[in-house]
Amino acid sequence: MISIPQELLYVDEKKIYECGVSLKFPDETAQLSTSDLLKQVVPEYHYRRAAEYEQQSYPYHDVIEMYMESLEDSHVLFPALGLDCLERLSQLSQAGFVLLTADKGDHRLENWEYAEPPKLIHHGSFSLTANYHAIKHAFEQKGAESLFTYHQYKHLNVGCVLMISNPKNYANTRLAYRRFVERFGPDDFFSLKEWFDKHLDQMTLSQLLAFWRLGSYDAQLFLQSAKRISNLLPISSEEEMNDTRRGIHAMWKGYYPMEEKHDLALDCAMILYQMDLFDDALVFFKRSLQDHEANAAVFYHMAICCYEIHIEDAALDYVHKTLALEPEHEGALALQPLLLSSNHQS
């Protein structure tokens, strides 16, 4: 992932300093992986007087002037390049633009007061906090309306900037933001997800299904929960099974494959198979075969599905495929004479 660079500025006594950063690595690095090495990086900061930011000619002087007047002993990540990109985007349309953004970043000026040098946020690589306040203020000076939550975000700050003519006229956009972000949004869901991760093995099927619906039948939630769902199916009600089936189909309808290593279709097939929904299971077994190589167990389950829905010829074909991969497969050896007998009788 490539992030848009930010400038690190230091504000003190109504003056602007530019901060250079050097990275200090541990002495012994040969045995460390790249991810472990990144975790031990220590940033060191070097300050240079940067009066050019204070000039009236600086494109974002209004924002800088606010920082000079309001902040003391504060480190500020300034998105100069990001602001430039948005300015260029706005020139591509006569109507302006609407920015929908989500990141770890602050839109309140007070959150930058007395801010220490930024800490590296590690997630495989590393990233820095976004300065939504600068974006918000810069475009509000040009007539934009900004939408951010009134409550403090915890993990993910979701914002919307309407850089268009008469932004107050877009009432439905404001209502949509209030409904899907302000009332309960991605940040709130992420907070609940932390609880979910810790308590998954104690949750009932009805609780799992409720959280899955709250997550819009997210595929990753299903993959994470598939084992727990499987364990709960023997004691679940018919209504819960029906809801699980509906959830699987709703998830697949909105699923966008991104070259994951895990076989989502196979997990769906096994859950449906466990619920004796053989028609549905067979559909997902076939979807699995489109992108993954089958093993004997998969072919055997497909044979059972075909047998249960009375497609004996296909069932026998899958039995043969099972035995070709595993000649001693007990289930396939037991099913084969039944199918051969059925074919002879027909």
Side-chain angles (χ1 to χ4, degrees):
M1 179 182 295
I2 300 176
S3 299
I4 297 177
Q6 301 184 85
E7 306 300 325
L8 178 57
L9 305 180
Y10 176 67
V11 186
D12 193 36
E13 297 181 351
K14 302 186 186 303
K15 295 180 181 179
I16 300 294
Y17 299 82
E18 194 170 58
C19 302
V21 183
S22 59
L23 301 178
K24 183 177 180 180
F25 291 88
D27 294 333
E28 300 295 331
T29 61
Q31 303 301 320
L32 296 177
S33 65
T34 302
S35 59
D36 289 335
L37 190 60
L38 285 173
K39 292 177 183 178
Q40 297 190 38
V41 168
V42 178
E44 295 182 344
Y45 298 95
H46 317 279
Y47 300 88
R48 178 189 69 82
R49 182 78 171 90
E52 61 270 22
Y53 288 94
E54 304 166 10
Q55 303 300 316
Q56 288 284 343
S57 58
Y58 183 66
Y60 309 110
H61 177 263
D62 287 345
V63 185
I64 296 296
E65 187 175 43
M66 171 179 280
Y67 291 163
M68 292 168 59
E69 293 296 327
S70 305
L71 301 179
E72 286 289 336
D73 190 21
S74 303
H75 293 79
V76 178
L77 286 161
F78 194 75
L81 187 56
L83 289 167
D84 289 345
C85 290
L86 290 172
E87 293 280 9
R88 291 185 182 182
L89 283 174
S90 69
Q91 296 172 10
L92 298 178
S93 169
Q94 294 180 353
F97 68 86
V98 175
L99 170 68
L100 183 63
T101 178
D103 205 341
K104 190 174 183 65
D106 286 312
H107 63 276
R108 296 180 176 89
L109 179 62
E110 58 268 26
N111 288 342
W112 295 99
E113 292 177 354
Y114 302 105
E116 296 181 353
K119 297 179 180 179
L120 300 182
I121 302 169
H122 298 275
H123 46 75
S125 57
F126 60 83
S127 62
L128 298 168
T129 300
N131 185 349
Y132 282 139
H133 174 268
I135 296 173
K136 174 177 178 290
H137 183 78
F139 286 102
E140 284 179 346
Q141 297 304 301
K142 299 176 181 288
E145 180 177 1
S146 300
L147 304 174
F148 285 90
T149 60
Y150 292 107
H151 60 267
Q152 179 63 39
Y153 86 99
K154 175 66 174 176
H155 306 281
L156 191 66
N157 197 1
V158 181
C160 181
V161 178
L162 291 85
M163 187 60 223
I164 47 182
S165 299
N166 303 313
K168 294 291 184 183
N169 293 343
Y170 292 79
N172 287 335
T173 302
R174 290 197 301 275
L175 290 173
Y177 182 86
R178 289 174 185 171
R179 177 180 177 183
F180 295 107
V181 180
E182 181 72 45
R183 289 183 186 175
F184 184 91
D187 183 54
D188 303 300
F189 182 81
F190 196 93
S191 295
L192 290 180
K193 178 64 166 54
E194 289 187 322
W195 183 94
F196 173 86
D197 292 341
K198 296 177 182 178
H199 297 86
L200 173 59
D201 291 337
Q202 288 81 48
M203 294 178 72
T204 65
L205 185 55
S206 62
Q207 291 170 337
L208 279 172
L209 292 172
F211 191 75
W212 193 24
R213 283 192 295 273
L214 184 63
S216 300
Y217 295 109
D218 179 72
Q220 292 302 317
L221 278 179
F222 176 78
L223 289 172
Q224 183 180 355
S225 310
K227 182 178 179 181
R228 178 62 178 167
I229 292 172
S230 177
N231 292 338
L232 291 170
L233 285 178
I235 58 172
S236 64
S237 66
E238 184 176 348
E239 291 78 11
E240 289 172 331
M241 289 189 182
N242 287 335
D243 287 343
T244 302
R245 175 185 179 274
R246 280 192 289 268
I248 287 174
H249 284 287
M251 172 187 67
W252 192 265
K253 187 176 181 180
Y255 173 59
Y256 183 82
M258 298 179 66
E259 299 183 359
E260 296 97 337
K261 295 180 180 179
H262 208 95
D263 189 348
L264 177 64
L266 181 59
D267 275 1
C268 293
M270 293 306 299
I271 293 294
L272 293 164
Y273 180 91
Q274 189 177 349
M275 294 189 292
D276 294 339
L277 298 172
F278 300 111
D279 275 306
D280 297 84
L282 187 59
V283 170
F284 280 92
F285 279 128
K286 289 180 178 178
R287 286 172 176 167
S288 172
L289 292 182
Q290 293 174 4
D291 298 308
H292 298 85
E293 186 176 344
N295 54 35
V298 170
F299 282 134
Y300 174 68
H301 286 117
M302 295 179 76
I304 293 293
C305 289
C306 291
Y307 175 73
E308 293 289 345
I309 60 179
H310 309 295
I311 312 177
E312 284 82 4
D313 288 342
L316 187 58
D317 180 53
Y318 287 125
V319 164
H320 290 157
K321 290 180 178 179
T322 303
L323 294 174
L325 294 175
E326 191 176 325
E328 303 300 322
H329 193 287
E330 293 183 2
L333 290 172
L335 183 58
Q336 187 176 37
L338 294 176
L339 293 169
L340 290 173
S341 174
S342 178
N343 283 347
H344 289 315
Q345 291 177 6
S346 60

PDB file of all heavy atoms in Angstrom, residues 16-20 46-53:
ATOM      1  N   ILE A  16       7.162  28.315  12.462  1.00  0.00           N
ATOM      2  CA  ILE A  16       7.049  26.985  11.854  1.00  0.00           C
ATOM      3  C   ILE A  16       8.441  26.409  11.625  1.00  0.00           C
ATOM      4  O   ILE A  16       9.349  27.090  11.109  1.00  0.00           O
ATOM      5  CB  ILE A  16       6.296  27.050  10.512  1.00  0.00           C
ATOM      6  CG1 ILE A  16       4.890  27.607  10.716  1.00  0.00           C
ATOM      7  CG2 ILE A  16       6.236  25.668   9.858  1.00  0.00           C
ATOM      8  CD1 ILE A  16       3.976  26.739  11.539  1.00  0.00           C
ATOM      9  N   TYR A  17       8.598  25.177  12.004  1.00  0.00           N
ATOM     10  CA  TYR A  17       9.828  24.435  11.767  1.00  0.00           C
ATOM     11  C   TYR A  17       9.484  23.168  10.977  1.00  0.00           C
ATOM     12  O   TYR A  17       8.438  22.550  11.207  1.00  0.00           O
ATOM     13  CB  TYR A  17      10.503  24.047  13.085  1.00  0.00           C
ATOM     14  CG  TYR A  17      10.895  25.223  13.936  1.00  0.00           C
ATOM     15  CD1 TYR A  17       9.959  25.845  14.763  1.00  0.00           C
ATOM     16  CD2 TYR A  17      12.199  25.711  13.929  1.00  0.00           C
ATOM     17  CE1 TYR A  17      10.310  26.930  15.553  1.00  0.00           C
ATOM     18  CE2 TYR A  17      12.557  26.798  14.716  1.00  0.00           C
ATOM     19  CZ  TYR A  17      11.609  27.405  15.527  1.00  0.00           C
ATOM     20  OH  TYR A  17      11.956  28.487  16.304  1.00  0.00           O
ATOM     21  N   GLU A  18      10.352  22.817  10.070  1.00  0.00           N
ATOM     22  CA  GLU A  18      10.186  21.570   9.335  1.00  0.00           C
ATOM     23  C   GLU A  18      11.012  20.491  10.019  1.00  0.00           C
ATOM     24  O   GLU A  18      12.164  20.727  10.404  1.00  0.00           O
ATOM     25  CB  GLU A  18      10.632  21.741   7.889  1.00  0.00           C
ATOM     26  CG  GLU A  18      10.171  20.600   6.981  1.00  0.00           C
ATOM     27  CD  GLU A  18      10.427  20.930   5.519  1.00  0.00           C
ATOM     28  OE1 GLU A  18      11.593  21.190   5.175  1.00  0.00           O
ATOM     29  OE2 GLU A  18       9.459  20.942   4.738  1.00  0.00           O
ATOM     30  N   CYS A  19      10.420  19.319  10.178  1.00  0.00           N
ATOM     31  CA  CYS A  19      11.094  18.225  10.885  1.00  0.00           C
ATOM     32  C   CYS A  19      11.603  17.194   9.889  1.00  0.00           C
ATOM     33  O   CYS A  19      10.817  16.616   9.122  1.00  0.00           O
ATOM     34  CB  CYS A  19      10.140  17.549  11.863  1.00  0.00           C
ATOM     35  SG  CYS A  19       9.434  18.666  13.086  1.00  0.00           S
ATOM     36  N   GLY A  20      12.896  16.983   9.925  1.00  0.00           N
ATOM     37  CA  GLY A  20      13.458  15.874   9.174  1.00  0.00           C
ATOM     38  C   GLY A  20      13.449  14.630  10.047  1.00  0.00           C
ATOM     39  O   GLY A  20      13.485  14.707  11.277  1.00  0.00           O
ATOM     40  N   HIS A  46      14.827  15.936  13.461  1.00  0.00           N
ATOM     41  CA  HIS A  46      15.759  17.047  13.338  1.00  0.00           C
ATOM     42  C   HIS A  46      14.982  18.261  12.838  1.00  0.00           C
ATOM     43  O   HIS A  46      14.193  18.156  11.889  1.00  0.00           O
ATOM     44  CB  HIS A  46      16.879  16.688  12.354  1.00  0.00           C
ATOM     45  CG  HIS A  46      17.409  15.282  12.542  1.00  0.00           C
ATOM     46  ND1 HIS A  46      18.321  14.958  13.518  1.00  0.00           N
ATOM     47  CD2 HIS A  46      17.116  14.124  11.890  1.00  0.00           C
ATOM     48  CE1 HIS A  46      18.594  13.674  13.453  1.00  0.00           C
ATOM     49  NE2 HIS A  46      17.867  13.130  12.475  1.00  0.00           N
ATOM     50  N   TYR A  47      15.169  19.414  13.456  1.00  0.00           N
ATOM     51  CA  TYR A  47      14.330  20.584  13.209  1.00  0.00           C
ATOM     52  C   TYR A  47      15.072  21.652  12.399  1.00  0.00           C
ATOM     53  O   TYR A  47      16.248  21.929  12.642  1.00  0.00           O
ATOM     54  CB  TYR A  47      13.850  21.160  14.537  1.00  0.00           C
ATOM     55  CG  TYR A  47      13.028  20.168  15.332  1.00  0.00           C
ATOM     56  CD1 TYR A  47      13.647  19.267  16.209  1.00  0.00           C
ATOM     57  CD2 TYR A  47      11.647  20.111  15.200  1.00  0.00           C
ATOM     58  CE1 TYR A  47      12.908  18.339  16.924  1.00  0.00           C
ATOM     59  CE2 TYR A  47      10.892  19.195  15.921  1.00  0.00           C
ATOM     60  CZ  TYR A  47      11.525  18.303  16.773  1.00  0.00           C
ATOM     61  OH  TYR A  47      10.783  17.389  17.473  1.00  0.00           O
ATOM     62  N   ARG A  48      14.339  22.228  11.447  1.00  0.00           N
ATOM     63  CA  ARG A  48      14.877  23.297  10.615  1.00  0.00           C
ATOM     64  C   ARG A  48      13.840  24.409  10.521  1.00  0.00           C
ATOM     65  O   ARG A  48      12.664  24.155  10.281  1.00  0.00           O
ATOM     66  CB  ARG A  48      15.186  22.769   9.201  1.00  0.00           C
ATOM     67  CG  ARG A  48      15.710  23.821   8.236  1.00  0.00           C
ATOM     68  CD  ARG A  48      15.769  23.277   6.814  1.00  0.00           C
ATOM     69  NE  ARG A  48      14.446  23.060   6.240  1.00  0.00           N
ATOM     70  CZ  ARG A  48      13.696  24.009   5.678  1.00  0.00           C
ATOM     71  NH1 ARG A  48      14.122  25.281   5.652  1.00  0.00           N
ATOM     72  NH2 ARG A  48      12.510  23.718   5.156  1.00  0.00           N
ATOM     73  N   ARG A  49      14.271  25.624  10.748  1.00  0.00           N
ATOM     74  CA  ARG A  49      13.353  26.765  10.615  1.00  0.00           C
ATOM     75  C   ARG A  49      12.825  26.815   9.186  1.00  0.00           C
ATOM     76  O   ARG A  49      13.586  26.735   8.216  1.00  0.00           O
ATOM     77  CB  ARG A  49      14.115  28.049  10.959  1.00  0.00           C
ATOM     78  CG  ARG A  49      13.268  29.302  10.914  1.00  0.00           C
ATOM     79  CD  ARG A  49      12.393  29.424  12.157  1.00  0.00           C
ATOM     80  NE  ARG A  49      11.758  30.763  12.156  1.00  0.00           N
ATOM     81  CZ  ARG A  49      10.584  31.003  11.588  1.00  0.00           C
ATOM     82  NH1 ARG A  49       9.911  30.029  10.996  1.00  0.00           N
ATOM     83  NH2 ARG A  49      10.070  32.214  11.619  1.00  0.00           N
ATOM     84  N   ALA A  50      11.482  26.945   9.040  1.00  0.00           N
ATOM     85  CA  ALA A  50      10.857  26.889   7.713  1.00  0.00           C
ATOM     86  C   ALA A  50       9.901  28.067   7.550  1.00  0.00           C
ATOM     87  O   ALA A  50       8.675  27.915   7.577  1.00  0.00           O
ATOM     88  CB  ALA A  50      10.128  25.561   7.535  1.00  0.00           C
ATOM     89  N   ALA A  51      10.474  29.227   7.365  1.00  0.00           N
ATOM     90  CA  ALA A  51       9.670  30.448   7.240  1.00  0.00           C
ATOM     91  C   ALA A  51       8.840  30.474   5.967  1.00  0.00           C
ATOM     92  O   ALA A  51       7.869  31.238   5.871  1.00  0.00           O
ATOM     93  CB  ALA A  51      10.585  31.669   7.286  1.00  0.00           C
ATOM     94  N   GLU A  52       9.174  29.633   4.978  1.00  0.00           N
ATOM     95  CA  GLU A  52       8.433  29.649   3.708  1.00  0.00           C
ATOM     96  C   GLU A  52       6.955  29.280   3.896  1.00  0.00           C
ATOM     97  O   GLU A  52       6.089  29.713   3.139  1.00  0.00           O
ATOM     98  CB  GLU A  52       9.076  28.702   2.693  1.00  0.00           C
ATOM     99  CG  GLU A  52       9.138  27.239   3.088  1.00  0.00           C
ATOM    100  CD  GLU A  52      10.403  26.860   3.843  1.00  0.00           C
ATOM    101  OE1 GLU A  52      11.046  27.761   4.430  1.00  0.00           O
ATOM    102  OE2 GLU A  52      10.741  25.655   3.847  1.00  0.00           O
ATOM    103  N   TYR A  53       6.684  28.490   4.951  1.00  0.00           N
ATOM    104  CA  TYR A  53       5.287  28.139   5.215  1.00  0.00           C
ATOM    105  C   TYR A  53       4.492  29.339   5.741  1.00  0.00           C
ATOM    106  O   TYR A  53       3.262  29.350   5.657  1.00  0.00           O
ATOM    107  CB  TYR A  53       5.208  27.008   6.246  1.00  0.00           C
ATOM    108  CG  TYR A  53       5.645  25.663   5.710  1.00  0.00           C
ATOM    109  CD1 TYR A  53       6.965  25.230   5.874  1.00  0.00           C
ATOM    110  CD2 TYR A  53       4.756  24.821   5.045  1.00  0.00           C
ATOM    111  CE1 TYR A  53       7.374  23.992   5.391  1.00  0.00           C
ATOM    112  CE2 TYR A  53       5.165  23.586   4.566  1.00  0.00           C
ATOM    113  CZ  TYR A  53       6.468  23.179   4.735  1.00  0.00           C
ATOM    114  OH  TYR A  53       6.872  21.958   4.253  1.00  0.00           O
TER     115      TYR A  53
END
